[in-house]
Amino acid sequence: MPPSKAAKNLSSLLRSAIKTTTPKPDDATLKHFVGSLDTSSSSPTTSTPHIRSPKSRSKASVSKAFSDLAIESFKIYAPLYPGRRMGMGYLSKDISSILCGASTLDAGSSDSIEENDEYVGSVLDTPWFSTLSHSNISLRRKEVSRDRKQKWIFKSTQTHRFDRLVKMCGQKLGTDATIQVFGKLGRETGVKEFNALIGLCIAKARETRYEDVWLQEISKVYKLLMLMRERGFKLEEESYGPFLMLLIDMEMVEEFHFFCGAIRDGNSSSLSRFAYYEMLLWIRVNNEVKIQELCDFIATNDEGDETNFKGIEIRQPDLALAGMYKLSEHYLLALCESDRKKEVLLLLEIVDITKFSSLDNLTNIFGSLGRLSLESCAEKFIRALKGSDTGAENISNFIYSYATSVPNLAVDDVISKFKLLHLELEVVPSSAAYEKLIGHCCNSLKAHVALDIVDQMFEAGLTLSIETFHSILCACEESCDYNLVHRIYSMICHNNLKPNNETFRAMINLRVKMKDFEGAYNMIKDLENMNLMPTAGMYNAIMAGYFREWMIVLTLQTAEEICEKKKQMLNSGLNENQSGLDQFAIFKLCVDFLLDLLHLNISLQKNMHAGLRVLMQMEDADVKPDSQTFTYLIGNCVLEEDIVKYYEELKCSGVQITKHIFMALINAYAACGQFEKAKKVVLDKGVPVKSLSEIKSVLASALASHGQISEALDVCEEIKEAECNLEPKAIICLMDHLQTEGQLSRLIQLLEELKDSDLWIDGCCKVILYCVQFKHLSSAVDLLKQLVDKFCDDEVATEVIFDEVFSKIAESERADMQFGLNLLQAIKEQLDVRPSRKSLDFLLGACASAKDLQSSNLIWKEMYQALLASGAHASATKMLNKMPKDDPHVQCVIKACKATYIKPASGTGKKKKNKKDMARE
């Protein structure tokens, strides 16, 4: 988040902007804002706004730039950026001019016609894709088809695609030029387009670290909102809400009220929502006075008196339109979302919850009651809602929202709370609430508990969607409860549910995970009874299961010879044993036999034969393989000719070549040792441009996994030069294979590139263990500090990390005890963390291995002090009895520890207390 200084800069820029504008007579918001500003320090500027030439623009200051922005925002909404000659602002402006057939270059500019033509040519040559030739045949065919239509057709199913198009245009051209481009192409810019551009600007503002960029993006959002109003669109919360939240997160109070006032004009139907955002603002900036003022106003005007309203500068006529109850509702909602218990309790005593305008708001409020553990309030409001026309199903959902929001409740306790509240309040649980409860169980990976709830629903005669079973099947896979598939299939059959292909695919997948291939095939046979046809996805699940199996492959002739020889010996021994042969002799024969097998040339291979058998079964069932099928086939090839064979079959089949196919090719060639061919895969013309960096990341991982470290690092550099990011999994793979001495700087660099939070923790631990292995003390401590900061609220996780570090020291063949002691001291002094007993045990074991008596004594002292500090006096006493008494230094430490951690007590109370401590120990 930019510093508070940025907010002040924006304020000053706004002032500077307004000073240079001539307000419209009918713009009440602008006149009000101008009147409220101090103009004593204004600099002389031109009173008449005009669009300056590129040459003069290139010399404009930041303040002057914002001045131009304000002029164009309130007046003609001309292009935004007054940047350098070749900046993005000019790119946007000139492309717009080209499309409109007229130049926006000032006639009086000193630029020559040749220079203008050259610049226009450079604009037209701006690439929208890095390499258009990389588009595959299928995508190109679609592009030609769209060109032939010569018009744009947008349907509800194309929303995601259109959002991507808008974002791409906004990134390449800028928002102003994008709007004009849509108009030039015959597409009127609508609310959907504006919202997409607003979202793009807000995302940039949140991501950037540069203040000038941040200010520009905020300015562009405001300009877009004003342009929407100018074109007759009503400003809904979907458009202005994210913008106000951005200002709130930036803690920009003055700017919030200015922009809020401008957006609010003529939008009286949304006034209550502005009250919600205002309360969030005061909570964000911790302005307790303002929060109390608004709460007191609601508390003293519960009958709807609006004359003393002090919120968000709403005029009294507008306040009447907004309605006191709606304002109270949204103030309460903001307080609930922020878990302000004191204010929530105050307003709940006043506000009539049955008059709330939104069920979603009620749901959020019940969630807050759960987080604040206000069960009595929740019960009171449920009873009140039962007497209204809210509906039993909605009330059941409110109970679910409360029960699942109560902190520190296990899944079983949540279910108990859910049932108990329904029972006490005499509310019948609805199917929707039950399904949400099942989803809560699945999110906690409690699949068996979810199935218990399903049983209860069926017993109560409630209906259940098949999609609910899909979430349960996913939870079964994630929690490794594969055997629950039997129970799920039985429920589906006995209750006459209609599963679809996805249901069967998921169940077949679980069967395969259990190695129950016969059961998986039986489910495919059962499809006919359900009037369903097998799909490639079902067979793919079986094929993947076979490819996950590994077989021990022996040299056949040698194995047969040894088995025959040992078989004869064992038979002979058994026969002789009947006459009293020693059992040990037979045992020795068995051991010799196993040892002979271990000395054979044993190799592990994937079960290719069974996997290919699945392919033949697909052909027999007239099921065509899809891209996933070929991904499995190519990715598991062990011979180069097989890779070529299946790739040719793929191209002849007409199946679209996806990025996963290219990844499988890379991994297969690398596994065969054909590294040059693996590198050539990324040069294929069919590689999707948008997936190129992802595919190159797979190449880097494959090369590193097979010992080609330098070449893998070269690929990483190529990705960086293309201004793309290396995939997190590829970074972790590189870290795993950069475990030789002298790689610390490279590992730290890779760690800085990790953006995924969970994988960053994994990578950080790898680098720490590397530092321990190669004795980089300062780097290890710095990284440990970062981990401690990340796990500041999780003592168990922190303890596990330190245990792992000290176990690494203990596992070392030549443990450097001085390094271990230095690390221990640094952790205590710099991180203010005392390692656990387990960590000290590891260090003590390392001392024993190194036969380092002096270090052993130091660790014993640490353990004694740790036991006393934790209150384990009995264990400390046992350790004290084993310590050497002839060492004066040890005696000094013992005396100091007793003085610090064992406080004196008098009389029998001390004795009783010590007995309790002993009993607890």
Side-chain angles (χ1 to χ4, degrees):
M1 179 187 301
S4 57
K5 178 183 176 183
K8 296 179 180 178
N9 290 345
L10 184 55
S11 300
S12 63
L13 290 176
L14 282 169
R15 292 187 178 94
S16 176
I18 299 302
K19 294 166 195 171
T20 62
T21 62
T22 303
K24 294 181 181 179
D26 58 345
D27 197 333
T29 302
L30 180 59
K31 290 195 294 182
H32 171 76
F33 186 72
V34 173
S36 66
L37 295 176
D38 178 17
T39 59
S40 59
S41 61
S42 62
S43 57
T45 56
T46 306
S47 60
T48 304
H50 64 278
I51 302 177
R52 292 174 293 177
S53 66
K55 185 174 181 180
S56 62
R57 283 189 170 201
S58 64
K59 301 176 181 178
S61 65
V62 176
S63 178
K64 196 68 174 173
F66 206 93
S67 174
D68 288 344
L69 163 69
I71 295 171
E72 294 164 1
S73 298
F74 287 108
K75 290 288 187 180
I76 58 176
Y77 303 103
L80 175 67
Y81 296 100
R84 295 193 302 268
R85 177 79 169 85
M86 296 300 291
M88 180 58 75
Y90 275 120
L91 180 61
S92 304
K93 182 178 177 181
D94 290 349
I95 289 181
S96 305
S97 303
I98 294 167
L99 291 173
C100 295
S103 175
T104 57
L105 296 174
D106 193 296
S109 172
S110 61
D111 298 332
S112 65
I113 297 177
E114 291 80 10
E115 290 175 335
N116 293 340
D117 291 341
E118 180 182 354
Y119 180 57
V120 168
S122 67
V123 170
L124 289 175
D125 291 338
T126 301
W128 283 50
F129 302 97
S130 57
T131 49
L132 189 60
S133 60
H134 282 183
S135 301
N136 58 37
I137 297 175
S138 176
L139 294 176
R140 181 59 182 164
R141 192 161 50 241
K142 292 178 182 178
E143 291 172 359
V144 172
S145 176
R146 284 196 288 267
D147 290 339
R148 287 173 180 171
K149 293 180 181 179
Q150 294 184 352
K151 62 180 179 179
W152 291 8
I153 301 174
F154 292 90
K155 300 179 181 178
S156 59
T157 57
Q158 296 174 300
T159 300
H160 178 65
R161 185 192 310 170
F162 178 73
D163 287 344
R164 289 174 55 195
L165 175 62
V166 172
K167 289 179 180 179
M168 183 178 67
C169 291
Q171 290 170 345
K172 294 290 182 178
L173 302 178
T175 54
D176 302 281
T178 299
I179 293 172
Q180 295 187 29
V181 166
F182 288 152
K184 195 68 177 177
L185 293 175
R187 166 71 179 179
E188 181 66 26
T189 307
V191 174
K192 182 169 59 177
E193 292 89 332
F194 277 113
N195 288 344
L197 290 170
I198 288 171
L200 178 65
C201 296
I202 290 174
K204 287 184 178 179
R206 289 188 180 277
E207 293 172 1
T208 185
R209 297 181 180 178
Y210 301 102
E211 184 177 323
D212 55 344
V213 177
W214 173 62
L215 295 174
Q216 285 180 351
E217 297 303 325
I218 289 178
S219 307
K220 284 194 286 183
V221 173
Y222 176 65
K223 177 183 173 183
L224 287 169
L225 290 171
M226 294 299 99
L227 186 56
M228 288 179 68
R229 173 176 292 170
E230 184 188 66
R231 295 194 176 183
F233 296 114
K234 184 179 179 180
L235 296 182
E236 300 288 354
E237 187 175 7
E238 184 182 5
S239 301
Y240 66 75
F243 179 48
L244 295 182
M245 284 306 304
L246 174 67
L247 299 175
I248 291 170
D249 291 340
M250 301 295 185
E251 301 183 4
M252 301 171 67
V253 177
E254 183 179 352
E255 290 73 21
F256 173 86
H257 283 97
F258 166 70
F259 289 125
C260 193
I263 297 169
R264 190 180 65 237
D265 286 343
N267 197 14
S268 58
S269 61
S270 298
L271 288 178
S272 58
R273 290 303 293 169
F274 290 110
Y276 162 80
Y277 288 107
E278 184 199 25
M279 182 63 82
L280 288 181
L281 173 68
W282 298 133
I283 293 172
R284 175 72 182 188
V285 299
N286 296 318
N287 192 327
E288 299 295 335
V289 175
K290 286 289 186 180
I291 295 171
Q292 193 61 43
E293 279 184 5
L294 295 178
C295 291
D296 291 343
F297 171 75
I298 297 296
T300 56
N301 294 273
D302 56 320
E303 295 182 356
D305 181 12
E306 300 117 359
T307 57
N308 296 319
F309 182 67
K310 297 182 179 180
I312 60 173
E313 302 177 2
I314 296 180
R315 295 180 291 271
Q316 296 303 325
D318 292 335
L319 180 60
L321 292 173
M324 281 299 301
Y325 282 117
K326 287 186 178 180
L327 289 172
S328 303
E329 173 184 343
H330 287 90
Y331 280 141
L332 177 60
L333 179 63
L335 292 167
C336 284
E337 290 182 358
S338 304
D339 293 335
R340 305 271 303 195
K341 188 172 183 177
K342 175 184 174 183
E343 292 83 1
V344 167
L345 286 172
L346 173 65
L347 293 188
L348 284 176
E349 292 295 326
I350 302 164
V351 176
D352 186 355
I353 201 168
T354 62
K355 296 183 179 180
F356 274 28
S357 61
S358 169
L359 292 176
D360 290 338
N361 289 350
L362 278 174
T363 301
N364 292 335
I365 287 174
F366 274 99
S368 176
L369 294 178
R371 291 192 300 274
L372 298 173
S373 300
L374 299 174
E375 186 164 338
S376 59
C377 289
E379 292 178 356
K380 171 186 173 183
F381 293 135
I382 291 295
R383 291 190 175 94
L385 290 169
K386 284 180 64 179
S388 66
D389 58 352
T390 304
E393 181 174 343
N394 293 324
I395 294 175
S396 183
N397 288 333
F398 299 153
I399 293 176
Y400 163 80
S401 180
Y402 173 83
T404 53
S405 300
V406 177
N408 303 320
L409 274 190
V411 173
D412 292 335
D413 296 328
V414 169
I415 296 171
S416 298
K417 178 74 69 177
F418 175 84
K419 293 179 179 178
L420 183 63
L421 286 174
H422 277 87
L423 183 63
E424 290 180 348
L425 300 171
E426 298 179 349
V427 178
V428 179
S430 66
S431 296
Y434 262 133
E435 289 192 0
K436 290 180 180 179
L437 190 60
I438 291 171
H440 178 74
C441 296
C442 292
N443 292 336
S444 303
L445 301 182
K446 299 291 185 179
H448 61 287
V449 179
L451 290 177
D452 292 339
I453 298 175
V454 173
D455 279 332
Q456 296 166 18
M457 291 184 66
F458 286 136
E459 291 174 2
L462 298 175
T463 58
L464 186 68
S465 65
I466 197 65
E467 286 72 21
T468 303
F469 277 103
H470 293 171
S471 61
I472 298 175
L473 288 166
C474 290
C476 290
E477 182 175 4
E478 292 184 31
S479 62
C480 300
D481 292 323
Y482 308 135
N483 60 316
L484 292 178
V485 66
H486 302 293
R487 184 179 173 187
I488 294 173
Y489 191 37
S490 176
M491 285 180 172
I492 291 174
C493 295
H494 290 164
N495 292 280
N496 298 320
L497 295 178
K498 294 182 178 180
N500 54 33
N501 288 334
E502 175 57 26
T503 315
F504 269 92
R505 188 208 63 78
M507 291 191 293
I508 289 171
N509 183 50
L510 292 181
R511 295 265 191 176
V512 171
K513 291 287 182 71
M514 296 168 58
K515 306 296 182 184
D516 182 14
F517 292 99
E518 182 180 355
Y521 280 118
N522 288 336
M523 296 198 75
I524 290 180
K525 294 177 183 178
D526 291 344
L527 287 169
E528 188 176 352
N529 300 330
M530 302 282 185
N531 295 322
L532 295 173
M533 297 295 295
T535 64
M538 299 176 190
Y539 283 104
N540 289 341
I542 300 175
M543 181 182 290
Y546 279 126
F547 284 144
R548 283 194 295 266
E549 286 191 325
W550 291 85
M551 300 185 303
I552 297 178
V553 181
L554 307 175
T555 304
L556 182 60
Q557 182 178 359
T558 308
E560 288 179 349
E561 291 176 356
I562 293 178
C563 288
E564 184 62 31
K565 179 180 178 182
K566 295 300 181 183
K567 182 179 178 181
Q568 293 174 2
M569 295 173 64
L570 287 172
N571 288 338
S572 174
L574 288 172
N575 292 334
E576 294 179 10
N577 184 49
Q578 295 174 359
S579 60
L581 182 66
D582 187 3
Q583 289 283 345
F584 180 76
I586 299 177
F587 175 74
K588 186 175 183 302
L589 290 173
C590 295
V591 172
D592 290 341
F593 171 59
L594 293 175
L595 290 174
D596 287 338
L597 286 178
L598 290 175
H599 283 88
L600 292 174
N601 183 18
I602 299 175
S603 63
L604 293 176
Q605 290 185 6
K606 296 178 181 180
N607 195 347
M608 289 294 296
H609 177 71
L612 296 177
R613 188 170 65 242
V614 176
L615 183 62
M616 292 187 289
Q617 291 164 348
M618 291 178 68
E619 295 174 356
D620 294 340
D622 197 23
V623 176
K624 294 182 179 180
D626 59 8
S627 62
Q628 188 65 54
T629 310
F630 285 105
T631 299
Y632 287 143
L633 291 171
I634 294 172
N636 290 280
C637 287
V638 294
L639 298 174
E640 182 183 349
E641 50 265 32
D642 289 338
I643 300 173
V644 176
K645 168 189 169 184
Y646 291 121
Y647 188 52
E648 291 299 325
E649 289 183 10
L650 167 64
K651 291 190 289 186
C652 295
S653 67
V655 174
Q656 183 177 3
I657 303 177
T658 64
K659 65 180 181 180
H660 300 289
I661 295 291
F662 293 111
M663 294 175 183
L665 284 169
I666 290 171
N667 287 320
Y669 277 127
C672 294
Q674 298 294 331
F675 302 116
E676 292 301 321
K677 292 187 177 180
K679 288 189 284 186
K680 288 181 180 178
V681 171
V682 297
L683 303 177
D684 193 292
K685 294 183 178 180
V687 173
V689 176
K690 63 181 181 180
S691 303
L692 186 57
S693 63
E694 189 177 356
I695 294 172
K696 283 188 174 182
S697 295
V698 172
L699 175 60
S701 298
L703 292 172
S705 300
H706 292 86
Q708 308 296 308
I709 300 297
S710 60
E711 296 187 9
L713 294 175
D714 290 341
V715 174
C716 295
E717 291 301 322
E718 291 180 13
I719 296 174
K720 292 179 185 177
E721 289 174 3
E723 298 183 353
C724 297
N725 296 322
L726 191 63
E727 290 295 310
K729 291 183 179 179
I731 294 176
I732 293 295
C733 181
L734 284 169
M735 286 182 167
D736 286 333
H737 294 87
L738 283 172
Q739 295 296 319
T740 56
E741 193 167 0
Q743 299 289 350
L744 178 59
S745 59
R746 175 77 69 174
L747 287 171
I748 292 177
Q749 181 184 0
L750 289 171
L751 181 63
E752 291 174 351
E753 297 175 15
L754 266 176
K755 305 302 180 184
D756 184 275
S757 178
D758 294 335
L759 289 179
W760 182 90
I761 294 171
D762 184 20
C764 189
C765 290
K766 291 179 185 295
V767 182
I768 290 172
L769 295 179
Y770 175 92
C771 293
V772 171
Q773 181 181 356
F774 294 104
K775 314 297 186 298
H776 298 291
L777 180 62
S778 59
S779 298
V781 174
D782 290 341
L783 293 170
L784 282 170
K785 186 178 187 307
Q786 295 182 44
L787 278 178
V788 169
D789 292 340
K790 188 171 286 289
F791 290 112
C792 58
D793 298 327
D794 193 340
E795 294 181 1
V796 175
T798 304
E799 186 174 304
V800 169
I801 293 169
F802 287 111
D803 291 347
E804 184 70 19
V805 169
F806 286 108
S807 70
K808 186 74 173 178
I809 297 174
E811 292 171 0
S812 177
E813 293 182 1
R814 296 182 178 179
D816 187 340
M817 289 312 305
Q818 188 58 48
F819 176 83
L821 294 174
N822 291 340
L823 181 61
L824 177 64
Q825 191 69 18
I827 289 172
K828 290 169 55 182
E829 293 179 355
Q830 299 182 36
L831 307 185
D832 195 25
V833 173
R834 185 171 295 279
S836 67
R837 167 73 181 273
K838 189 174 182 180
S839 295
L840 296 173
D841 280 341
F842 282 127
L843 272 181
L844 194 59
C847 291
S849 300
K851 298 180 180 180
D852 189 338
L853 180 60
Q854 184 178 3
S855 298
S856 298
N857 287 331
L858 292 174
I859 303 302
W860 274 86
K861 296 169 191 175
E862 289 287 343
M863 295 177 71
Y864 176 67
Q865 186 176 0
L867 290 171
L868 285 180
S870 62
H873 296 160
S875 298
T877 301
K878 291 179 181 179
M879 176 173 287
L880 181 61
N881 293 333
K882 298 178 182 180
M883 281 188 179
K885 302 296 190 298
D886 55 348
D887 188 336
H889 181 65
V890 171
Q891 292 298 321
C892 181
V893 172
I894 293 172
K895 183 178 179 181
C897 288
K898 286 182 177 180
T900 303
Y901 299 108
I902 302 179
K903 295 182 179 180
S906 60
T908 58
K910 179 180 179 181
K911 294 182 180 179
K912 291 180 180 179
K913 185 177 180 180
N914 288 339
K915 288 180 179 179
K916 289 181 180 180
D917 290 339
M918 295 293 288
R920 185 171 61 250
E921 294 299 329

